[in-house]
Amino acid sequence: MGLSSGSNASEAVKLCVFDLRRGQNEGQELDKILFFYPADLPFTTQLSVIGLSEGLITFTRIFSPEAACDVIEAEMHSHVFYEAEPDIWMVMVVEKNKESEAMWRIDALRRVLKEVHTLFVMFHGSIRELVDKEPTGGLVRTHLYYFIMDYLSDFFIGKKLHLPNFRDSLKERGTVQMLTVGREVAIDVQSLVRVIESCAENSKCYSLTMFQDLLVSTTLSPDDTVSLFTYAVLRLTPQALSSGVSSWSYLRKGSTACNTSAGAVMANSCPSVDQYYNSGDTSPVGNRSYPVVRPLQNDKWSKGKDGFLVTDIWGAEFGSSIPTSPTIWLKQTEERMYLCAYQLRSLTVILLIPVSSVLNGEQGIAMVKQQILENASLKMFKVEEKLSRGWGGENAYHVSGYRYLLVDGDRYVSRASPPGKVTTLTKDSLVALSNLREEVDSERIRANSDGLSHEKDLEICIRAKNNAWLIARLTRGKELYMVLEKANETLLYASDAVMKFSDRYCNGAFSLE
Amino acid sequence: MDTPSRRLTRSLTKVESPEQGKKRNLQSKQNFICLDTPTPINVTNPDQKRYGVNIGLRCRMMSSSSNNSPKTQNISKETSEKAAQNCSLKKMKDPIVAESRDQLKGHDEKINKIMMDIRLRQYQIISQQIELKDELRAMQLSVNEKINGFTDELRRKLTGNSTPHVYSSPMVIYTDSAKMKTKEKNSATASVLKRILVNCSAQAKQYGSCVTARVPEVERDMCLKEFLVLKNCMRNVEHVGMSGKASASNHPGFSVSDALSHVYIQYPPLRCTLAGTRSFLYDDGNKLLLGLTSDRVFSWKTAPFNPHVAPSSDPLCEGPVLSIRYSLDLKLLAVQRSNYEVQIWNKQTGDTISQKCRSESESILGFFWADCPTCDIVFVKTSGLDFYSYNPELKSLHLVETKKLNVSWYIYTHESRLVLLASGMQCKSFTGYQLSSAGIIRLPRFEITMAKSEANNKPILAAEDVHIITVYGRIYCLQFDRVAMLLHSYRFYRDAVVQQGSLPIYSNRIAVSVVDNILLVHQVDAKVVIIYDMFAESRTPISAPLPLLLRGFSRASESKELSGPEIIIYGDGWSFLVPDLICDVANGFLWKIHLDLEAISASSSDTPSVLEFLQRRKLEANKAKQLCLAIARTLILERRSLPLVARAIDVLITTYSQAIKTGSHQRRTNTEDASPSGVSNLKSSNTEVDESSRVDASGIKQESARGIENESSNRSTVSASVSDVSVSFETMKMTSHNLDSSSGQTEGGYMVERETSGAQVDASIVQSQILGSGSNALNANASEQLESQVSSATISPADLYRFVFAAIGEEMAGDSSYLVSIIVEFLRSASLEKLKVDPNIYVLIVQLLAREERYEELGLFVLNKIIDPSKEVALQLMESGHQNVQTRKLGLDMLRELSLHHDYVLLLVQDKYYLEALRYARKNKVNTVRPSLFLEAAHASNDSQHLAAVLRFFSDFIPGFKNTSDHHTYCRIVADMNSSIAT
């Protein structure tokens, strides 16, 4: 898997966050930089990256003020742009190298940037707010530094950042993976959800229910669901909890096959942030007086005796050993919520309670927890039992003969062939698929920039060099990507296979013709 | 009316100091209550002479206050004197009262004065009442929790000593009026005042607020109306308390009396008053009340109960009558003349048979008619049982069988077909025979254990202490143990008699009734009734001991019939008839006992068990059903906790599902299926009988496979199986009173014997089905009509939707998510029982979720198929999706998945997906959508290529399209568009 690549990690990938509204005067350019990875790069290099980026942004804004710049493709590098918040940009610079498998799909990289930003916002609020809170920038820099470094730690394999490349073409970051359940179980789950949400008396609560690392039910908006789901998969699910304990490697993960894209790259404990933290004076976090909550820190969550997950990430209340309950921001309602996670074997239930409605802090939360234990534990037990019984294992969504990715863009839901099965594809097919997706992405971007609210239907079938069929189909917000390696020669056969798949697994959504 | 004294006291009250006021208050309270006791106040009443009512006063406050009331002030002296006499007569019976009456003599004026005084001071009490009212409210809530403790308290109070007792609790107050006069003043005061406060707080508040509003200008007839209402109420309350009489409680808009009682008898009773009636006897086989005069026997039908039923009569020879019973076909009349002789008189022929026994060695204890195939009449003698069959041709009795054993006494009820024979020194050894249509079954002999008061004392069990009851198709024997003050229950199985536990008793005299499978234990001395539901094994009463209420009896009707005798609840003349009748022998009244379902359900906070209780009710099934629906609505409207509501819904759904499985919930389709033509009539009759046999099966299923019920289901004659033969049909029987008459006449014709096969349930069902198919259409039709009349209390999911969810959908607009949660629980319940629910409920869910913009959840509901796909739902999704594209898509997808091609294509076009629509239309050959719609949509998109493509499509695929006006119009448009692009 190219682990033996000799290229230096710090040179291969650069990631920076900067604020265009800061450092407008000459000599104060450093002020723009809110985050830079690798942190030990000389300031001149940092400045040159940001200078180039800013220049391009300024230039492209002339033509397209709304969506200024997506990407710079240089001969050796790609610069991926993402405007996280107005005038706050995230830029990722990756090296292109065919030898070392450094073949990227820009949108996949941009989704990494997007993910780290949404997670950041979920825990800390928007970057702009933090910037405004303390104009010197120390606060936001500290927060960004720890947060992004914690986040990136999951991508480290050895000393190398392993960003999603062509091998992840049948995955879609920023979507949730759902468990398919029967009607009866679904009703039971809903009943459980209602009971749990009613536990906190008369405040409007939200909940997210997961089975292993698959979503079962949510009452959150799609955006918030994605963020919380991502976090839960990274840190809260039973797998995430156990990964910290067991000796665990990417290779093993690859063979045991996690069902989610996030799972495949998560929880690599090797180089932790603390290495950088201690690595010298070059760290931008000169001032350590800021209290920082590091929600993505590894191995900080554990399961308490009562079944609720506990962590000391949020510190403890003064003079007591009871950890403070975690809080997150919801994007939809812009409300601050307490996060309560209960875990029963493979079932994880996350309840969000508005901070405003809990008057007496930890005591109130404890009461809610008590209520949950009293009212819902039996139900949870039953639901978990039913779900486990109906759970088809990690290859439950494997369709033999097909390697597919199904994305419902409206609901941010995706389903894919299990990673273990995807690895059986040849490199050629994967590279070709990556390119195909790149095409589709750019087609989609073009459609969006044309201001067409009307979703376009699109169908592409490609016969690759190795005689595999690569198929992409977009219809009314749903996307289907497929690799058929052992397919017959005719196009008719390929489209027939798609039709069958669609009728069988997508309620005929892709079989309009 | 305004009197000088009234005005005087009112002004007095105004000026007196607070301390004085307090004192007066206290005093007035006492006076108010204890009118019978002499009071030391020496005030003369100037009005006394004017009204001339003082005689009545010393007896009963009621009469005095009614005389004081403005409306009745001119009541004639005669009337009041009569009333006074009436009550002094009664008082004479009681030496203590007589004594106090003597003391009272000469104090009339004072009392009258006090009466006036009291009325005027009521308004002082009022303020307290208002305060207390809130307190009472709070107590009302906690009353249910207190019931258990309450029962214990009752027991302690009633059994512990012989002193007169007042029973009181926050809500439930019962005064034992018979002994009240001898008790300390204080407790009586408190009790009655409490009762008044409980009952009359509303009126008091009204009156009080009226008075306080107008206090500055005291004037004539101030707040008269309010005062009258309050007075009326108080009068009734104290009337009950003081004289032990139930009185009018049906004031418009005020029905607190319901809350004070769970069991009631409805006025008017069946009046069996005929001149010369010597005695009353009850023929429980035919449910006839028989009144004997010197030469005739009058019979009143008691089922169905109709207070205005006219008696029928038969002549009766002179002579003593010990007991009398009609045969079950009403053709014969058997009269026991002495211990040695029973006469049987044939109504049609007038022949008389006389059956005697050997007078030296045995005597006849009694007899009863049986509908068993081998015998028609059974004589119980001290030497055993004689089974006789009646031969109509020979007009003689023929001895079928004799069972030899010593019998001290016996009890028999027709509904159980069970005769219990007591033998032994203490009469505690029992042998039972059940005379079912399958034959005579001997039950295992069993002994009753009795508590001994002393070591060597051997109490003898009396017949009146043993009762046979049938509830839920089970037979129990209840034995009243006077020493232990317990009512032991024994349950009869075919092969065993099992003791089931004991109920506490608080009175030396008890009676037992069964109303709608509910056991009523009348504590006659304490004048309360405790009700038990024997369905569950627990022996806790349904509610607190409460008095029996007389309902619908108003003062007005009493005054109209002033000559009418007094109605005394639990009077000495009351005899309790099986299962639910009371005969007031002294007055010749026959009362039917009813359950006050509202009151019972209102008295418990454990809603799920209340619902279970109501669901089991068969007698007032419709009422129970309505109550259940109302309870469900209230639960939701009060936003009770989710688990509680879920449990309540579970109860309703589960009972419905069980009813469906056993077939006792009648489906309307049954009635609809039945066509009037002869051939299909037979067919429908089969289904009907099948239904009833399935009811039987359910009865058995509840039991273990053994038991008497099995037996009884084996012995079904077809006609009788629907009506009232066997115990195991008890559930059915509740609905079949109407049938009794018809089947009673036709019974002989339909008697079909069945061999007594093994106790296998399945076999018996099959057999009864076979029998059913051979049965007469007429009989089945009767039962069919009957089923459509009397429904069971079960509530179908459709009803639940219509009367609960749909009904409150609007009211819950502010809290849709709560209602959604409830509906989810409802769906869970229904899916657990595999019941279909109304598709409209899905539409409702969509509406509710969309209203709160919870589109994400809505999506989950649809994707997980929690919402059953249907066209209605799809269209609702489309409509709700105006705000949310994803939801709209869900609706579209649902249409597609339902293969509603036309709608799908039409809506796709409307959403401007005309190319997709076109493709889909071609694939699924949809040609019902007008081409112009596609063309318009393509034109609106302003894309000439698309328009041309659509045009081309229709030209190619629809023959003759080229000649339509659409074609020409759009061809021109395409040409225009192209030329404009070109230029």
Side-chain angles (χ1 to χ4, degrees), chain A residues 228-242:
Chain A
L228 193 59
F229 176 82
T230 310
Y231 181 70
V233 169
L234 287 175
R235 295 290 179 264
L236 300 179
T237 56
Q239 291 94 319
L241 287 180
S242 63

Side-chain angles (χ1 to χ4, degrees), chain B residues 98-368:
Chain B
E99 191 186 313
S100 66
R101 192 176 56 110
D102 290 340
Q103 289 178 340
L104 272 172
K105 241 174 196 170
H107 290 291
D108 296 346
E109 304 152 356
K110 295 170 200 165
I111 293 166
N112 205 0
K113 168 63 194 158
I114 295 156
M115 277 307 303
M116 304 303 291
D117 213 358
I118 286 161
R119 207 181 60 206
L120 298 169
R121 290 184 206 169
Q122 277 165 350
Y123 113 84
Q124 294 179 324
I125 306 172
I126 283 161
S127 59
Q128 289 176 319
Q129 286 174 338
I130 294 169
E131 276 174 40
L132 279 167
K133 195 184 155 194
D134 291 336
E135 219 174 306
L136 285 166
R137 278 266 160 76
M139 285 194 247
Q140 200 167 345
L141 290 174
S142 66
V143 76
N144 291 307
E145 283 81 75
K146 288 185 180 168
I147 280 174
N148 285 335
F150 169 76
T151 316
D152 290 338
E153 197 188 342
L154 177 78
R155 184 179 181 179
R156 187 167 37 86
K157 284 202 174 183
L158 294 186
T159 57
N161 50 35
S162 57
T163 52
H165 35 262
V166 174
Y167 191 74
S168 68
S169 85
M171 249 310 278
V172 188
I173 300 155
Y174 180 73
T175 317
D176 185 358
S177 62
K179 298 175 181 173
M180 182 170 162
K181 275 122 199 166
T182 57
K183 76 172 127 320
E184 309 114 356
K185 212 189 278 177
N186 284 342
S187 69
T189 310
S191 163
V192 181
L193 179 67
K194 238 179 195 174
R195 190 207 297 268
I196 288 170
L197 292 182
V198 169
N199 286 329
C200 305
S201 52
Q203 288 88 334
K205 193 175 180 180
Q206 268 183 3
Y207 176 58
S209 53
C210 174
V211 170
T212 39
R214 302 174 66 175
V215 148
E217 67 278 11
V218 177
E219 52 176 302
R220 266 180 80 87
D221 292 344
M222 185 174 100
C223 304
L224 188 62
K225 210 176 88 194
E226 289 81 0
F227 167 70
L228 285 178
V229 174
L230 173 62
K231 195 190 68 182
N232 215 3
C233 169
M234 287 180 152
R235 197 181 61 191
N236 288 323
V237 169
E238 63 192 67
H239 184 63
V240 174
M242 301 295 278
S243 67
K245 273 170 92 180
S247 69
S249 53
N250 287 352
H251 300 296
F254 186 67
S255 57
V256 78
S257 56
D258 292 350
L260 276 173
S261 186
H262 292 158
V263 181
Y264 66 93
I265 49 179
Q266 181 73 45
Y267 186 88
L270 170 59
R271 289 173 192 270
C272 309
T273 42
L274 285 172
T277 312
R278 287 185 298 175
S279 61
F280 288 103
L281 290 163
Y282 182 61
D283 177 4
D284 72 337
N286 298 299
K287 296 194 187 305
L288 293 175
L289 184 71
L290 305 176
L292 299 177
T293 60
S294 55
D295 59 343
R296 292 195 82 78
V297 52
F298 290 88
S299 58
W300 287 269
K301 263 171 65 178
T302 62
F305 189 78
N306 174 14
H308 305 295
V309 73
S312 58
S313 77
D314 286 308
L316 188 70
C317 304
E318 280 287 346
V321 176
L322 296 185
S323 78
I324 182 166
R325 283 174 185 268
Y326 280 96
S327 66
L328 299 177
D329 56 6
L330 298 171
K331 284 177 186 158
L332 305 171
L333 177 64
V335 184
Q336 186 181 357
R337 290 296 188 178
S338 70
N339 283 341
Y340 309 104
E341 186 184 13
V342 172
Q343 284 178 356
I344 298 172
W345 174 68
N346 190 322
K347 268 169 85 173
Q348 284 168 342
T349 61
D351 299 330
T352 306
I353 315 163
S354 182
Q355 186 75 26
K356 292 181 182 166
C357 71
R358 285 166 290 152
S359 55
E360 64 281 8
S361 59
E362 58 186 20
S363 61
I364 298 177
L365 293 169
F367 70 95
F368 52 87

Side-chain angles (χ1 to χ4, degrees), chain A residues 243-269:
Chain A
S243 69
V245 185
S246 61
S247 63
W248 200 87
S249 78
Y250 179 75
L251 285 176
R252 211 188 108 214
K253 182 72 182 173
S255 57
T256 54
C258 178
N259 284 289
T260 68
S261 53
V265 289
M266 68 178 220
N268 293 283
S269 46

Side-chain angles (χ1 to χ4, degrees), chain A residues 287-298:
Chain A
N287 188 347
R288 288 187 195 167
S289 63
Y290 300 105
V292 184
V293 168
R294 293 168 57 184
L296 282 173
Q297 213 174 355
N298 273 305

Side-chain angles (χ1 to χ4, degrees), chain A residues 178-184 186-188 190-192 194-195 197-198 204-206 215-222 225 332 375 379 386 408 410-411 453-457 475-478 499 503 506-513, chain B residues 642-643 646 817 820-821 824-825 827-829 831-832 834 837 842 849 852-861 863-868 885-890 892-893 896-897 904 908 911-914 916 919-920 922-924:
Chain A
M178 294 205 63
L179 181 72
T180 314
V181 291
R183 178 171 193 263
E184 198 178 313
I187 292 175
D188 279 340
Q190 283 303 321
S191 158
L192 167 69
R194 310 283 150 178
V195 168
E197 286 188 14
S198 73
K204 175 98 177 82
C205 297
Y206 297 93
L215 183 74
V216 177
S217 124
T218 173
T219 55
L220 287 162
S221 70
T225 300
Q332 173 91 353
N375 295 337
K379 267 194 168 155
K386 282 187 180 171
D408 184 346
D410 294 328
R411 330 194 72 85
S453 59
H454 202 86
E455 284 151 330
K456 245 184 159 175
D457 276 15
T475 183
R476 314 211 335 98
K478 292 198 175 78
M499 191 81 89
D503 286 342
C506 320
N507 296 321
F510 296 98
S511 36
L512 281 183
E513 283 194 44
Chain B
L642 205 47
S817 59
V820 171
S821 313
V824 167
E825 292 298 337
L827 291 179
R828 184 184 54 76
S829 247
S831 93
L832 215 61
K834 311 236 174 334
V837 301
Y842 300 119
L849 285 173
E852 293 216 327
E853 301 190 345
R854 301 176 79 145
Y855 297 112
E856 179 78 353
E857 286 163 71
L858 184 53
L860 269 176
F861 274 75
L863 291 178
N864 286 328
K865 301 272 189 294
I866 294 174
I867 294 181
D868 231 13
V885 188
Q886 282 78 30
T887 309
R888 201 170 163 77
K889 276 187 193 167
L890 282 176
L892 265 179
D893 288 348
R896 191 188 65 226
E897 284 158 33
Y904 180 64
L908 263 185
D911 282 7
K912 307 219 184 329
Y913 289 97
Y914 52 91
E916 289 83 347
R919 259 182 261 156
Y920 188 85
R922 192 184 65 191
K923 185 185 167 199
N924 293 293

Side-chain angles (χ1 to χ4, degrees), chain A residues 321-340:
Chain A
S321 59
I322 305 160
T324 316
S325 294
T327 52
I328 61 166
W329 288 96
L330 283 189
K331 192 179 170 191
Q332 173 91 353
T333 56
E334 295 183 337
E335 245 183 315
R336 196 159 181 76
M337 313 291 270
Y338 281 115
L339 185 150
C340 250

